[in-house]
Amino acid sequence: MKDLDAFLLDDRVVPFRTRVRRFLERSLPADIRAAGEAERMDIDKDDQRRWHKILHAERLACSGWTESHGGPGLSDGERYVLEREMALAGAPRPMIYGVTMLGPALIAHGSPDQQARFLPPILEGDVFWCQGFSEANAGSDLASLQCSAHRDGDEYVINGHKMWTSEAHIADWMFGLFRTDASGRKQQGITFLLLDMNSAGVSVRPIKTFDGTGIEINQVFFDGVRVPASQRIGPEGGGWAIAKDLLAAERFGNAEVSRSMASLARLRQFCERRRPDGRRLIVDPNVGRRLAALHVALRAVERTELRFLAHGGEALGAEAALLKLRGTEVQNEILAAAADLLGPLVAYHTDDHSGQAMPIAAPPELHHALRSHFNYRKTMIYGGSNEIQRNILVKAVLQL
Amino acid sequence: MIRNLALDETELAVRDAVLRRLRDGLCPGGSAPVQHHAAWAALSELGLLAVPLNEADGGLGGGLPDAALVLEPLGRCGVAVPFLEGICGPAALAGRLPGNRQLAELIKGAAAGGAPLALAWLEPDHGWMRRPISTTAVRVGSEWRVSGLKSTVRWAAQSAGLLVSAECLGAVGVFLVPPDADGVTLISCPTADGQEAADVIMTNVLLPPGARLSAGDAAEALDYALDALAALSLAEAAGAMDACLELTISYLKTREQFGAPLSRQQALQHRLADMYASCETAWSMAIDAAAALAAEVPPAERATRVSAAKAHVGPTGRRVAQEALQLHGAIGMTMEYPLGRLLARLTLIDLGYGDSSWHLSRLSSLLENLV
């Protein structure tokens, strides 16, 4: 019986890991790393671009793209290791909407003209995308979306709104799902369109969240927005299949195992600090056991992800839902533990909106603990809530 | 249900061979568990009890980790045989205490369908602690004199030999004690999971010089053997967990209440989804723990991986079985229905080989030293 880690120890992966580690030590800017170590997902747009261009210069950007479209042509093992090393180093996540989501969808479903027009600016890090899927009345039940696009000659005219749109306030372009036909089944009549956020009739209303982060999500209104039909991906009415593909890819990444490993390692490091009695925090058996329990829970997801990657191959489908389900649960347990371990100081609310400084010197490495504890609740809600993941397991795996 | 066991073709063939053989009349279906002798004989005839041994002795070549291939179907079918305690544990010990020909022969004999061995390490009031050991061995001329009390020694009365841990010359010693030696008293009792166990009372038992299996300190060898028991029990647990899930799914599909099968109730469906997720993570941890028994894995890494896996699979398996019982309702409580036996075994796996609290404590200490 072979060790699961053997998958990560082949002749290509080992030198690749060394190369990535050296690159990250040398090239990850300290200010960007600090944002990653503070569990921030709302990385400044310019910083995201700056980091993407550094990655691209090293030919490590867009790791999931095929080589013919400018991807680095990595094996599954190399991609896995790249994601792990980036997370452990505190590097930001890839620019998710363009790089991780739209890129592969365009490669799979776009025309050659569309690929030639839209892929290079993503690869270069020049165009910043957002995803227009959810609406006020179409959350978990995404297919019931109403925002309409009606055909008018060579154009679609969009009216309605999108809700909870991450990064719409900084995005240059949006890909989204729009209703072109309301007569049939709700999954039919949905069309996948790309649109310029500077188009006439687009307005963005940022939504403040309670957690103390800066703006992450928005409501986007469309008032007679005209979109050329050449910016439709796939056939009219064929958007649902593309979206399902794309969301399945998101689910895999959403397990965030590597990010959680980094969070747990930082928490463990924090627990090395000494209390007034001179003893390290970690020698408190309650603290040590809690960290050990988190290690166990996270490793169970990590080993499963590795087993699926190494042995699931093409067959892996709906089972990935359990990675998102368990991965985000553990992630939230880790961030909750960080808030708990901060002690009484956790009460200070460092709010990005007010720019308030901490009143006294709190442990700087955990300033963010309560904010990220609150903020990351979203990971169990977005990308198909964890209840939707259970539905997927029930239908597609257990076949009930 | 577990998707893709991460096994190669040969490994899968072995696992399937065990499963097929057990399902051919050896699974406890009705009210009473199958006598372990029948399954023991059938598996030995196919050479399947020798899977974890050296290739020369009929093994598959992968060593101790390969025992998981036999244990997963044993757990799945709820068959109680002395394979884990009577062959795997002793083989682990023999691997770390080489040169003991008598022990090697006894293990081969067990794998050929003979009497198993028994690891006598637990002592009353010591909980799961591996040390200190109250049983003592002292030198008397050229012989050894062993005294002490061991408890819940699985398969002691059925065994060809007891492997007894003892404090010896300031170190850990392991002694081969015949169960019928003068001064040995066995008080047998069946266990809640359908196996046999006994208290072993040793009063001034005189043993020949060769009875001591270790020249020096056997602490690491014993640790390895106990880690092997803990690790490999998880493959059995994963099989039993999957069986719980499958039983529950097929029951809920046929059981109608409120005019529809219970499997249509979303409240129940989501609990099945969580059970399924647990089965998958449990198998991942079980194979990781088994692989950590490979000879080249350093002791601290092995202990870390085994304890992490035990702390996950133990309680998770127990919970899956409890959920299965709850979703079944009253039928699950009956002796007639196979679920109870699976629950009992999963409970005793969680409360065996070091419970989750013991393993979490050990893991905590091991991780503390990593920073």
Side-chain angles (χ1 to χ4, degrees):
Chain A
M1 178 168 284
K2 230 166 137 190
D3 216 306
L4 287 170
D5 284 318
F7 176 65
L8 302 178
L9 295 172
D10 75 25
D11 293 346
R12 275 187 70 171
V13 175
V14 173
F16 178 76
R17 186 193 289 263
T18 309
R19 178 192 145 202
V20 169
R21 279 186 186 164
R22 291 218 179 102
F23 158 72
L24 287 166
E25 276 168 26
R26 193 176 63 235
S27 306
L28 177 61
D31 57 328
I32 293 181
R33 187 179 66 230
E37 288 176 345
E39 311 291 355
R40 284 202 172 277
M41 287 201 199
D42 55 333
I43 308 276
D44 186 76
K45 182 180 182 179
D46 290 338
D47 288 342
Q48 290 202 46
R49 280 192 167 142
R50 177 158 55 111
W51 173 238
H52 181 95
K53 284 175 181 290
I54 295 170
L55 269 180
H56 182 45
E58 185 70 19
R59 293 226 358 97
L60 289 174
C62 301
S63 66
W65 295 17
T66 50
E67 218 168 349
S68 55
H69 288 102
L74 302 180
S75 68
D76 287 350
E78 288 171 320
R79 276 187 68 190
Y80 185 77
V81 158
L82 176 63
E83 188 204 320
R84 173 69 43 86
E85 294 299 327
M86 298 243 280
L88 293 179
R93 293 162 178 81
M95 294 158 77
I96 181 168
Y97 299 107
V99 170
T100 311
M101 300 179 83
L102 180 61
L106 273 176
I107 290 168
H109 303 283
S111 70
D113 283 351
Q114 289 169 335
Q115 291 170 348
R117 179 178 172 197
F118 294 108
L119 289 176
I122 299 174
L123 184 62
E124 296 296 330
D126 291 332
V127 171
F128 206 94
W129 288 80
C130 65
Q131 170 191 273
F133 278 14
S134 294
E135 296 173 11
N137 290 316
S140 285
D141 182 13
L142 182 60
S144 67
L145 60 92
Q146 297 293 326
C147 189
S148 77
H150 75 259
R151 190 69 183 254
D152 181 22
D154 286 344
E155 293 178 323
Y156 289 95
V157 182
I158 302 181
N159 282 290
H161 82 281
K162 289 289 170 184
M163 191 71 170
W164 319 124
T165 314
S166 297
E167 303 191 339
H169 60 298
I170 53 174
D172 306 306
W173 278 71
M174 168 189 280
F175 62 88
L177 298 177
F178 301 93
R179 184 154 301 283
T180 44
D181 182 0
S183 63
R185 272 182 68 233
K186 62 185 180 180
Q187 286 83 0
Q188 297 163 343
I190 292 174
T191 300
F192 197 104
L193 298 176
L194 313 180
L195 66 99
D196 188 338
M197 291 293 280
N198 289 315
S199 308
V202 176
S203 54
V204 176
R205 187 178 71 85
I207 300 170
K208 282 189 180 183
T209 48
F210 82 96
D211 51 27
T213 55
I215 294 302
E216 292 189 316
I217 52 178
N218 307 270
Q219 194 165 12
V220 183
F221 297 94
F222 304 90
D223 182 11
V225 178
R226 293 192 160 265
V227 176
S230 61
Q231 290 168 204
R232 184 191 69 223
I233 308 300
E236 185 171 299
W240 186 247
I242 301 173
K244 267 176 56 175
D245 243 29
L246 188 148
L247 287 173
E250 186 188 14
R251 215 156 26 238
F252 216 167
N254 271 351
E256 296 238 287
V257 166
S258 295
R259 296 280 154 187
S260 291
M261 288 175 82
S263 301
L264 185 53
R266 285 191 288 271
L267 185 54
R268 182 167 289 283
Q269 192 60 49
F270 175 79
C271 293
E272 286 294 302
R273 65 190 293 114
R274 290 183 188 279
R275 301 185 303 195
D277 64 5
R279 288 160 64 82
R280 293 178 303 151
L281 200 48
I282 199 166
V283 301
D284 178 336
N286 291 323
V287 174
R289 285 175 69 99
R290 183 140 185 212
L291 292 179
L294 292 170
H295 169 90
V296 168
L298 179 56
R299 187 169 172 87
V301 188
E302 188 255 352
R303 293 286 101 179
T304 304
E305 183 176 75
L306 192 54
R307 173 162 64 88
F308 283 0
L309 269 175
H311 300 275
E314 300 301 310
L316 182 78
E319 296 86 349
L322 85 88
L323 300 175
K324 199 268 180 181
L325 172 61
R326 286 286 187 266
T328 55
E329 285 173 354
V330 178
Q331 180 176 46
N332 277 274
E333 284 169 25
I334 293 169
L335 295 172
D340 294 1
L341 290 169
L342 190 52
L345 290 169
V346 77
Y348 290 133
H349 190 45
T350 51
D351 189 328
D352 287 358
H353 303 301
S354 64
Q356 179 80 43
M358 289 292 256
I360 60 164
E365 62 270 44
L366 277 194
H367 267 167
H368 63 274
L370 192 65
R371 171 177 54 71
S372 44
H373 170 39
F374 289 157
N375 180 251
Y376 275 64
R377 303 305 294 182
K378 70 188 178 189
T379 68
M380 298 191 290
I381 299 170
Y382 67 31
S385 72
N386 283 8
E387 287 65 37
I388 291 295
Q389 306 304 325
R390 288 186 178 91
N391 283 349
I392 291 169
L393 294 174
V394 164
K395 285 200 183 71
V397 182
L398 304 183
Q399 300 184 334
L400 293 177
Chain B
M1 275 302 160
I2 292 172
R3 297 301 164 115
N4 206 320
L5 295 166
L7 301 175
D8 67 27
E9 274 179 35
T10 316
E11 292 165 341
L12 207 53
V14 170
R15 179 263 188 183
D16 289 346
V18 178
L19 191 57
R20 257 195 320 274
R21 186 63 194 89
L22 293 177
R23 283 189 170 158
D24 184 17
L26 293 174
C27 295
S31 57
V34 164
Q35 286 296 310
H36 81 266
H37 303 97
W40 192 246
L43 293 177
S44 72
E45 274 164 26
L46 295 174
L48 294 168
L49 298 179
V51 161
L53 306 187
N54 296 328
E55 273 177 288
D57 298 330
L60 197 60
L64 213 48
D66 284 344
L69 306 172
V70 179
L71 284 158
E72 191 271 346
L74 283 172
R76 186 175 289 276
C77 297
V79 174
V81 287
F83 178 67
L84 174 63
E85 326 256 354
I87 291 181
C88 298
L93 200 58
R96 294 294 157 109
L97 299 173
N100 284 296
R101 288 202 31 214
Q102 194 191 356
L103 175 59
E105 288 305 315
L106 286 170
I107 293 169
K108 273 167 68 177
L117 288 131
L119 265 176
W121 70 282
L122 291 164
E123 297 182 344
D125 299 325
H126 285 232
W128 299 108
M129 282 190 305
R130 294 177 178 185
R131 278 179 287 282
I133 301 170
S134 295
T135 299
T136 56
V138 295
R139 209 186 261 285
V140 183
S142 66
E143 297 189 306
W144 296 101
R145 191 175 66 206
V146 175
S147 293
L149 171 57
K150 300 288 183 180
S151 57
T152 56
V153 181
R154 297 240 172 183
W155 308 103
Q158 293 74 24
S159 76
L162 303 164
L163 299 168
V164 175
S165 63
E167 173 75 23
C168 172
L169 307 173
V172 175
V174 179
F175 292 81
L176 181 60
V177 180
D180 57 356
D182 284 344
V184 174
T185 306
L186 301 181
I187 303 172
S188 290
C189 184
T191 60
D193 52 6
Q195 300 190 12
E196 299 287 339
D199 279 350
V200 177
I201 305 162
M202 292 165 290
T203 314
N204 297 323
V205 181
L206 281 176
L207 298 168
R212 187 190 183 201
L213 300 175
S214 51
D217 188 11
E220 159 55 19
L222 188 62
D223 270 342
Y224 177 71
L226 298 180
D227 278 354
L229 287 183
L232 294 170
S233 74
L234 305 180
E236 189 184 340
M241 289 168 70
D242 226 31
C244 288
L245 177 61
E246 287 187 353
L247 273 177
T248 311
I249 287 174
S250 50
Y251 182 72
L252 295 195
K253 275 182 171 170
T254 51
R255 170 80 174 159
E256 295 215 359
Q257 291 287 277
F258 310 107
L262 284 176
S263 61
R264 302 242 182 96
Q265 301 274 358
Q266 196 188 38
L268 308 187
Q269 288 179 342
H270 279 198
R271 289 166 76 167
L272 290 170
D274 281 317
M275 288 165 70
Y276 164 70
S278 296
C279 288
E280 291 282 4
T281 58
W283 179 246
S284 307
M285 291 296 255
I287 58 176
D288 190 63
L293 301 175
E296 65 273 15
V297 178
E301 183 193 330
R302 175 198 77 227
T304 304
R305 288 167 63 178
V306 170
S307 278
K310 185 70 170 58
H312 177 70
V313 183
T316 307
R318 210 169 155 189
R319 197 171 318 120
V320 161
Q322 289 167 352
E323 283 286 279
L325 174 54
Q326 180 66 24
L327 296 188
H328 271 84
I331 185 74
M333 293 292 296
T334 63
M335 184 70 97
E336 295 289 321
Y337 200 75
L339 187 60
R341 276 190 299 278
L342 294 169
L343 191 149
R345 181 61 187 143
L346 283 165
T347 303
L348 290 197
I349 286 176
D350 184 30
L351 301 178
Y353 323 107
D355 64 4
S356 52
S357 181
W358 185 88
H359 280 284
L360 208 55
S361 291
R362 182 171 76 155
L363 180 64
S364 176
S365 317
L366 286 160
L367 292 175
E368 213 174 289
N369 297 326
L370 282 186
V371 175

